[in-house]
Amino acid sequence: MLRTIRTFKPKELVRFEDFLKSPYFNKNENVTNLFCEIKKYAPGFLNEALDKEKIWAKLFHDRAYNYGIMKNLIFDLTRLCEQFMIMTKFEADETAQSGYLLKGLFDRFLIDYFFKKLELTEKKFDVNYFRKNHDITGFLNFSTKLYEFHCLIHQHVDSKHDIVKRLNIKTTNMITGFFIEMFKIYNDMQAYRQTSERKDSPVEVLLDTISNNKMEEIFENLKRHSSEGHDTLQVYYSMFNCLLRKDSGDAYFEFKKNIINNCNELSDTDRRSLHSCLINSYVLNPPAGTNLHREMVEIFDSMIDKKIIKLPGEKWIEEHVFSYYIIHCANMGYTGKIKAFVEKYHDSINPEVYENMKIEISCLLCFLNKNFTEAMKHLNELEFKNIGKKLLSKSMKVKLLYEMNDYESFVYERDAYSHFLNNNKGQIDLRGVSENRTKKTRKTLDIINGLFQLKNDFAEDKYIEIKNLIKESYDIDSWFAEKISEIELIKGIKPKSDSLKRNR
């Protein structure tokens, strides 16, 4: 019970007390008194005075402690906490309220009032309302629920009520919403399953089968009956094609174009979801000749431009989104983008994590400005619990040691890093998205080791080997290209025109 009450904001604590004092919800004054006593210790609710027997003494003074009564009071207060949360959610859901009101009016056969409310509901909760407040599938689902009321009218009030037209709209909306949801689930299935699992889930079998049997024809038929949701459906379909046709770079870029340029119909919720799907699609199947960091920066820039870098309705930018945008910018050498982003959104990151984030940002900026000693100082101040961040921190450290030309320390860190990879392989190579992370990290260590060797004892065959390793790595950052170019300049080597450039 206390765990729940701790989550209540100050205004919610006031409202919950009013809720408890309402005789409609609670007729036991002792439950209200119990809460009022507990509320004194907000917001932490950790004081020793919250011991059950001490609370009992304050509520009942000279009466001996009764375990059974106290247990019942706590049970009732817990139940009322749950009911309050339900009511709070219900009050915020206008469409649910309208649906229950319509059902109540029809059950009481208040037909004139029912018709008036149904008409107002259909006007108010149109597709534009859902684009602004929810997503297109919310509209499709709500419109099918409203169809049920038209069925009731046809069955019990007016047999001439046009039901066939509405039946077509209902089935069109149901099928459109169904495909959109199936494409979302398909994306989640690719991202979250273990790599060893069989790829024969019901959603995969269904969509793979339909995709080979004129799926486009089905969508065209849906569009003829209702255009609502069609553009959204096409965007999610391009996502499905991107995941299905893993070897097709064209499918990825078609999906990317649809999201960034052609999503006027989409709600902010859909836009945010699809940008996340685009990231997932790239990481799962990166097109040949592309650069991970450049692609991620472009996707995040699109999210910033469309004002969806924060989850719709949320106060804070997710920590991993804030951090990874900066890291990808750093890997491309985009100092200006980092500074502009931090200046614009520093108030949009949870203060509880921002202190550590500021150190991370300072470290990256010092690194980009070639102040390596200061960057190392900041790096040693960082505290990371997340396994991905620990990997990034260790990768930064070996780069800094290269810049400081400290090969002895690099060898020590390389070996420690290698042990870290071995000891945490289960966490690092957990799912399809990161299944090759250990392999890629070891390649990075090999490249830096090779750069050290080239800088201190140049050999032609080693140069070709390291340059090819950098060139074949789709997710290699600009720092590696810069380091090999520095060696070429020192050794007087003229690089080929196609050296380490990326076409897209």
Side-chain angles (χ1 to χ4, degrees):
M1 177 260 293
L2 282 177
R3 282 201 307 173
T4 303
I5 293 177
R6 284 190 192 104
T7 67
F8 289 179
K9 297 179 176 66
K11 289 183 179 179
E12 287 181 311
L13 290 172
V14 174
R15 291 186 64 230
F16 183 52
E17 184 174 344
D18 291 339
F19 178 84
L20 291 174
K21 289 177 179 178
S22 168
Y24 179 81
F25 296 105
N26 173 41
K27 292 182 173 63
N28 188 339
E29 187 178 350
N30 287 327
V31 173
T32 305
N33 293 339
L34 172 61
F35 172 72
C36 289
E37 190 61 40
I38 291 171
K39 193 181 72 168
K40 294 176 183 178
Y41 303 99
F45 301 99
L46 297 172
N47 195 289
E48 290 181 2
L50 287 172
D51 176 79
K52 293 175 186 176
E53 295 193 23
K54 291 180 180 179
I55 290 285
W56 173 275
K58 291 185 178 183
L59 293 177
F60 299 105
H61 307 296
D62 298 331
R63 288 177 60 183
Y65 178 72
N66 187 306
Y67 170 80
I69 293 175
M70 193 64 181
K71 179 181 177 183
N72 289 337
L73 289 175
I74 293 172
F75 175 84
D76 287 342
L77 184 56
T78 301
R79 177 181 54 81
L80 287 162
C81 282
E82 294 170 353
Q83 195 169 357
F84 174 72
M85 288 190 288
I86 293 169
M87 291 296 297
T88 301
K89 285 296 182 184
F90 184 73
E91 288 171 1
D93 192 340
E94 292 183 294
T95 59
Q97 293 176 43
S98 294
Y100 280 110
L101 175 59
L102 288 169
K103 187 69 169 66
L105 291 172
F106 195 88
D107 288 347
R108 288 165 172 77
F109 217 66
L110 300 170
I111 299 303
D112 290 342
Y113 194 12
F114 169 81
F115 275 124
K116 181 180 178 181
K117 279 294 180 182
L118 179 59
E119 182 180 0
L120 289 172
T121 297
E122 290 180 322
K123 285 181 179 179
K124 179 178 180 178
F125 301 115
D126 61 2
V127 68
N128 292 320
Y129 171 88
F130 280 90
R131 284 177 188 150
K132 182 179 179 181
N133 298 284
H134 301 283
D135 56 26
I136 193 67
T137 51
F139 168 75
L140 298 172
N141 292 332
F142 186 68
S143 66
T144 59
K145 291 178 182 177
L146 292 183
Y147 161 80
E148 301 299 335
F149 292 113
H150 288 284
C151 278
L152 292 173
I153 295 169
H154 177 78
Q155 293 168 10
H156 302 288
V157 180
D158 181 6
S159 61
K160 294 181 180 179
H161 188 64
D162 185 3
I163 201 68
V164 175
K165 178 181 177 182
R166 287 185 169 86
L167 181 58
N168 276 332
I169 293 173
K170 176 188 177 181
T171 53
T172 300
N173 289 348
M174 284 181 67
I175 295 170
T176 301
F178 167 80
F179 272 111
I180 291 173
E181 291 302 316
M182 289 302 101
F183 291 144
K184 290 180 182 178
I185 293 170
Y186 187 92
N187 172 74
D188 292 343
M189 189 70 71
Q190 308 308 309
Y192 298 131
R193 77 148 122 247
Q194 300 288 344
T195 55
S196 59
E197 291 176 358
R198 291 173 56 185
K199 299 182 180 181
D200 62 349
S201 68
V203 67
E204 289 170 301
V205 172
L206 174 69
L207 293 179
D208 289 354
T209 301
I210 297 176
S211 68
N212 294 323
N213 289 277
K214 302 181 179 178
M215 190 177 280
E216 291 85 354
E217 193 173 306
I218 296 173
F219 295 163
E220 282 302 313
N221 179 267
L222 293 173
K223 187 177 182 180
R224 285 199 298 272
H225 287 93
S226 174
S227 62
E228 302 296 2
H230 185 76
D231 289 347
T232 304
L233 175 61
Q234 289 295 335
V235 176
Y236 276 102
Y237 179 47
S238 67
M239 175 197 73
F240 167 70
N241 271 330
C242 178
L243 292 170
L244 186 67
R245 295 164 174 78
K246 295 179 173 56
D247 299 327
S248 173
D250 291 340
Y252 167 78
F253 287 106
E254 179 67 20
F255 178 33
K256 181 180 177 182
K257 182 184 76 173
N258 282 336
I259 294 174
I260 293 178
N261 301 324
N262 301 326
C263 55
N264 295 327
E265 181 187 80
L266 300 173
S267 67
D268 284 347
T269 301
D270 276 321
R271 291 175 198 265
R272 185 56 153 67
S273 174
L274 281 160
H275 278 77
S276 296
C277 292
L278 183 61
I279 291 171
N280 179 43
S281 298
Y282 183 90
V283 174
L284 283 171
N285 308 298
T290 58
N291 182 291
L292 167 71
H293 306 294
R294 182 178 290 119
E295 285 297 321
M296 294 301 107
V297 170
E298 287 183 11
I299 295 170
F300 282 125
D301 279 345
S302 175
M303 293 166 72
I304 293 168
D305 179 61
K306 292 174 173 56
K307 298 184 169 109
I308 53 170
I309 195 70
K310 286 193 285 189
L311 286 167
E314 291 297 318
K315 182 178 181 180
W316 309 120
I317 297 175
E318 295 165 287
E319 181 185 357
H320 71 277
V321 171
F322 194 98
S323 181
Y324 283 122
Y325 176 70
I326 292 168
I327 289 167
H328 288 304
C329 283
N331 284 327
M332 291 304 298
Y334 297 154
T335 306
K337 279 185 178 288
I338 294 174
K339 290 180 177 178
F341 181 72
V342 173
E343 182 178 352
K344 184 174 182 178
Y345 290 110
H346 68 277
D347 289 334
S348 295
I349 187 72
N350 191 329
E352 293 180 5
V353 301
Y354 190 51
E355 287 305 312
N356 202 54
M357 193 80 70
K358 283 196 293 187
I359 300 172
E360 183 179 7
I361 294 165
S362 297
C363 174
L364 289 170
L365 289 175
C366 285
F367 179 77
L368 291 174
N369 291 326
K370 302 189 182 302
N371 188 347
F372 304 121
T373 303
E374 194 69 15
M376 184 68 83
K377 175 186 171 185
H378 289 308
L379 186 65
N380 290 330
E381 294 172 351
L382 285 170
E383 295 180 5
F384 290 131
K385 296 179 181 178
N386 178 280
I387 193 77
K389 283 298 196 70
K390 287 182 179 179
L391 286 170
L392 290 168
S393 174
K394 290 178 180 296
S395 294
M396 173 61 75
K397 192 162 191 176
V398 292
K399 287 182 185 177
L400 282 169
L401 291 171
Y402 175 84
E403 294 286 11
M404 298 165 80
N405 202 29
D406 188 347
Y407 185 67
E408 185 176 340
S409 295
F410 167 78
V411 171
Y412 174 82
E413 286 297 331
R414 180 195 64 189
D415 293 343
Y417 201 170
S418 183
H419 287 305
F420 177 82
L421 294 173
N422 289 334
N423 294 336
N424 295 277
K425 195 173 189 306
Q427 289 178 272
I428 296 169
D429 293 339
L430 186 58
R431 303 184 189 279
V433 172
S434 61
E435 60 183 311
N436 295 317
R437 191 188 283 177
T438 298
K439 182 179 178 182
K440 291 172 185 174
T441 304
R442 292 191 189 283
K443 181 186 286 188
T444 298
L445 294 174
D446 289 342
I447 291 172
I448 297 176
N449 189 64
L451 290 170
F452 262 116
Q453 293 175 13
L454 290 174
K455 186 163 62 171
N456 298 321
D457 186 18
F458 183 84
E460 180 74 19
D461 57 344
K462 191 67 178 178
Y463 161 74
I464 294 171
E465 176 193 339
I466 295 302
K467 185 153 187 176
N468 286 335
L469 276 176
I470 296 174
K471 189 175 180 181
E472 71 187 25
S473 301
Y474 78 91
D475 58 350
I476 213 76
D477 59 61
S478 61
W479 181 83
F480 291 91
E482 180 185 317
K483 297 306 110 182
I484 199 71
S485 295
E486 287 175 359
I487 290 172
E488 289 171 339
L489 184 64
I490 292 170
K491 301 301 178 180
I493 300 171
K494 187 175 181 180
K496 295 179 180 178
S497 59
D498 66 345
S499 129
L500 294 172
K501 293 180 180 178
R502 306 294 183 191
N503 295 322
R504 290 177 125 152

